[in-house]
């Protein structure tokens, strides 16, 4: 398969062209023929014009690429090597939602041919590729994995907003259903990953490696959040503690904060779900998820306690509603939980963000972004260190707030810089 792709006798198809799929498709299109498939016609139209709907990929990256963007499964039939990069969210009960993954598998089942390869990149629990996705492909296509087509898994490591740790510069974990497929898959990814690939011993190991990466980070951040809760009661600034502890060579500088997005705030639930299905009730992972998920309401409670003491009609400004700095991604943004809590107490809330799309925020959360900051706020919550926020100073916050206002700096951006207003950080 590898040689056919290199010789352009076979095409590579990427299913799902979001934050993960589009960069993969464009990078492969430097070397081989690619079909980029997505069910969203609006996104396809933008990509045909060289525009990334997610605003992660520059227009220059679309030029001189051997790629066709389509939403037509008939076009996808031309591909022989399929990469699945669709979202794997959780529902409102934090139960894994496999509908996008199953739908993508159904699409593949309709277009796959003997000798084809299917590689999943979507983050999920160990066993999902072989136990949930493979049967769907086999049922629809009438083909058998191993005898008729090859299966693999290569966890995505795309980090939105990060121009240093990219597809090319980060080691790629790959796996296959047998030794032959492992080598073919590995060689194919080596075409675009300069850092090289790691050949995992099995598909389940590759799946588990991804889920563990984010679960480990979730646990470490939960520890810092819990420490923040404790230190707040002591009147101790957590960031001062981190700075002091960080002088030791083996201290890991994790920081407290709201844990949202499509990875850290979601992936651990896939692992606890699978564990429960096997009869094991997770303790540490579940506790970390509880701590991190509750932080948004904790922030709200701190702000509410302050503003209701100082104003009969409190107003709060929230600066930043994306899940991390300098990106437009609002998926699973935990500050929304804070906003909802404030609104439940009849507090007027303005939400401002230089990167988020107004229509997308309204569609996803029913909130209208405020593009023009007013004044007289009784509290300002700064959620993420967006670049435009870094230059703000005490004078700025004084100009938009009342005399007794609280500056709630969740990431410690303005530590030791706010003097004219009450300052608080996690």
């Amino acid at each position: 398969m590898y040689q056919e792709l290199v010789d352009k006798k076979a095409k590579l198809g990427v299913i799902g062209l979001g934050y993960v799929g589009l960069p993969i498709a464009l990078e492969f299109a430097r070397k081989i023929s690619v079909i980029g498939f997505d069910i969203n016609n609006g996104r396809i139209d933008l990509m045909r014009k060289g525009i990334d709907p997610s605003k992660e990929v520059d227009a220059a990256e679309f030029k001189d690429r051997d790629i066709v963007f389509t939403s037509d499964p008939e076009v996808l039939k031309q591909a022989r090597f399929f990469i699945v990069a669709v979202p794997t969210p959780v529902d409102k009960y934090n139960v894994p939602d496999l509908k996008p993954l199953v739908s993508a598998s159904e699409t593949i089942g309709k277009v796959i041919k003997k000798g084809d390869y299917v590689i999943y990149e979507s983050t999920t629990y160990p066993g999902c590729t072989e136990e949930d996705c493979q049967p769907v492909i086999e049922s629809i296509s009438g083909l058998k994995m191993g005898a008729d087509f090859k299966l693999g898994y290569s966890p995505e490591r795309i980090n939105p907003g990060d121009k240093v740790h990219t597809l090319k510069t980060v080691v790629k974990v790959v796996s296959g259903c047998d030794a032959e497929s492992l080598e073919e898959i590995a060689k194919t990814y080596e075409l675009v990953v300069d850092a090289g690939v790691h050949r995992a011993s099995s598909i389940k190991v590759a799946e588990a490696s991804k889920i563990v990466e984010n679960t480990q980070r979730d646990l470490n951040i939960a520890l810092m959040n819990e420490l923040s809760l404790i230190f707040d009661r002591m009147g101790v600034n957590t960031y001062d503690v981190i700075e002091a502890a960080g002088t030791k060579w083996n201290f890991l500088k994790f920081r407290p904060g709201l844990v949202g997005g499509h990875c850290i705030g979601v992936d651990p639930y896939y692992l606890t779900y699978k564990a429960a299905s096997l009869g094991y009730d997770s303790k540490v992972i579940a506790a970390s998820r509880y701590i991190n998920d509750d932080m948004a309401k904790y922030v709200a409670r701190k702000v509410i306690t302050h503003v209701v003491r100082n104003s009969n009609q409190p107003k709060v400004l929230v600066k930043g509603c994306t899940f991390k700095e300098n990106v437009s991604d609002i998926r699973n943004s935990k500050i929304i939980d804070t906003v909802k809590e404030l609104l439940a107490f009849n507090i007027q809330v303005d939400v401002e963000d230089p990167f988020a799309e107004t229509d997308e925020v309204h569609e996803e959360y029913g909130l209208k972004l405020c593009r023009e900051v007013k004044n007289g706020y009784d509290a300002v919550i700064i959620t993420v260190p967006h670049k435009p926020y870094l230059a703000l100073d005490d004078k700025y916050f004084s100009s938009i707030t009342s005399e007794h206002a609280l500056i709630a700096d969740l990431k410690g951006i303005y530590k030791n810089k706010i003097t004219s207003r009450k300052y608080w950080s996690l």
Side-chain angles (χ1 to χ4, degrees):
M1 177 60 68
Y2 163 77
Q3 198 57 51
E4 289 185 52
L5 290 169
V6 172
D7 294 339
K8 295 195 175 186
K9 295 179 180 178
K11 296 178 183 289
L12 181 147
V14 178
I15 300 173
L17 300 174
Y19 286 89
V20 174
L22 182 58
I24 292 170
L26 291 174
E27 201 59 50
F28 270 114
R30 291 174 181 267
K31 305 287 183 68
I32 59 180
S33 295
V34 176
I35 298 171
F37 178 87
D38 199 287
I39 60 173
N40 189 318
N41 286 313
R43 294 180 64 88
I44 290 295
D45 288 341
L46 287 173
M47 286 181 274
R48 285 171 176 167
K49 298 173 184 176
I51 301 171
D52 176 11
S54 302
K55 299 182 179 179
E56 286 291 308
V57 178
D58 295 333
E61 296 298 313
F62 286 82
K63 294 180 180 179
D64 301 320
R65 299 291 186 270
D66 188 354
I67 186 168
V68 172
F69 294 108
T70 185
S71 58
D72 184 357
E74 287 298 314
V75 178
L76 194 59
K77 285 182 178 180
Q78 300 173 30
R80 300 291 312 282
F81 190 103
F82 300 93
I83 294 177
V84 179
V86 296
T88 45
V90 292
D91 64 18
K92 63 180 180 179
Y93 302 109
N94 293 321
V95 175
D97 179 4
L98 296 181
K99 288 194 290 291
L101 207 55
V102 171
S103 178
S105 300
E106 291 172 345
T107 298
I108 290 173
K110 297 172 184 176
V111 301
I112 196 172
K113 304 162 290 299
K114 281 191 175 183
D116 287 358
Y117 276 62
V118 183
I119 293 83
Y120 287 86
E121 291 215 5
S122 305
T123 304
T124 188
Y125 49 75
C128 184
T129 299
E130 295 160 294
E131 297 164 13
D132 297 288
C133 300
Q134 177 187 323
V136 173
I137 298 174
E138 291 180 329
S139 174
I140 293 176
S141 68
L143 303 176
K144 289 296 179 183
M145 195 278 292
D148 298 319
F149 69 92
K150 301 292 187 179
L151 193 66
Y153 183 84
S154 179
E156 61 89 3
R157 282 178 167 170
I158 299 293
N159 186 26
D162 191 340
K163 302 303 181 183
V164 176
H165 303 99
T166 64
L167 175 65
K168 296 175 66 175
T169 62
V170 177
V171 173
K172 197 84 163 69
V173 175
V174 298
S175 64
C177 58
D178 54 30
E180 178 189 23
S181 63
L182 176 60
E183 279 307 305
E184 291 294 295
I185 294 167
K187 288 191 295 183
T188 300
Y189 274 103
E190 283 173 340
L191 285 171
V192 296
V193 183
D194 295 342
V197 303
H198 173 83
R199 292 163 171 79
S201 58
S202 70
I203 289 175
K204 283 186 179 180
V205 166
E207 290 170 320
S209 72
K210 173 60 178 179
I211 216 83
V212 166
E213 289 174 20
N214 289 329
T215 300
Q216 183 186 68
R217 291 169 66 197
D218 194 45
L219 263 65
N220 278 290
I221 297 171
L223 172 61
M224 303 315 295
N225 275 333
E226 187 165 56
L227 291 174
S228 177
L229 299 178
I230 296 170
F231 293 147
D232 190 34
R233 287 163 170 77
M234 299 178 180
V236 174
N237 185 284
T238 308
Y239 287 93
D240 285 341
V241 176
I242 294 172
E243 185 179 347
T247 59
K248 189 179 181 185
W249 71 91
N250 60 352
F251 179 78
L252 303 178
K253 287 189 177 182
F254 284 91
R255 292 172 170 79
L258 304 184
V259 183
H262 61 293
C263 288
I264 308 177
V266 172
D267 295 355
Y269 285 121
Y270 275 75
L271 189 54
T272 56
Y273 171 84
K274 185 63 175 180
S277 73
L278 298 172
Y280 180 77
D281 185 19
S282 170
K283 311 297 191 300
V284 176
I285 300 172
S288 297
R289 279 283 74 233
Y290 174 81
I291 291 171
N292 286 341
D293 272 353
D294 194 56
M295 288 304 290
K297 290 186 177 180
Y298 172 71
V299 170
R301 291 192 291 268
K302 289 291 292 188
V303 174
I304 291 168
T305 301
H306 178 86
V307 299
V308 297
R309 288 175 178 171
N310 294 284
S311 175
N312 293 324
Q313 294 181 312
K315 296 191 302 179
V316 174
L317 172 65
V318 174
K319 293 183 75 66
C321 70
T322 61
F323 87 92
K324 65 181 289 189
E325 63 273 16
N326 305 320
V327 301
S328 63
D329 195 344
I330 60 168
R331 288 177 294 172
N332 194 31
S333 175
K334 286 302 173 182
I335 193 59
I336 302 300
D337 293 343
T338 302
V339 172
K340 289 179 178 178
E341 196 76 3
L342 294 172
L343 292 173
F345 280 79
N346 293 320
I347 295 172
Q348 180 184 326
V349 183
D350 288 344
V351 182
E352 176 269 334
D353 193 298
F355 290 92
E357 290 290 337
T358 301
D359 292 342
E360 189 177 349
V361 172
H362 187 266
E363 181 180 346
E364 185 73 17
Y365 301 114
L367 298 174
K368 187 175 181 180
L369 285 184
C370 166
R371 288 301 182 185
E372 185 175 335
V373 172
K374 303 180 183 69
N375 53 41
Y377 294 107
D378 299 292
V380 179
I381 306 173
I382 305 94
T383 68
V384 288
H386 284 322
K387 285 182 181 178
Y389 296 166
L390 300 181
L392 303 180
D393 56 15
D394 185 64
K395 183 178 179 181
Y396 167 79
F397 288 107
S398 297
S399 71
I400 65 169
T401 57
S402 61
E403 183 180 354
H404 301 289
L406 172 70
I407 308 302
D409 178 15
L410 305 190
K411 289 293 187 178
I413 310 169
Y414 311 107
K415 188 168 71 75
N416 300 326
K417 295 179 181 178
I418 304 299
T419 58
S420 63
R421 297 292 185 266
K422 183 174 181 180
Y423 177 83
W424 175 78
S425 69
L426 289 175

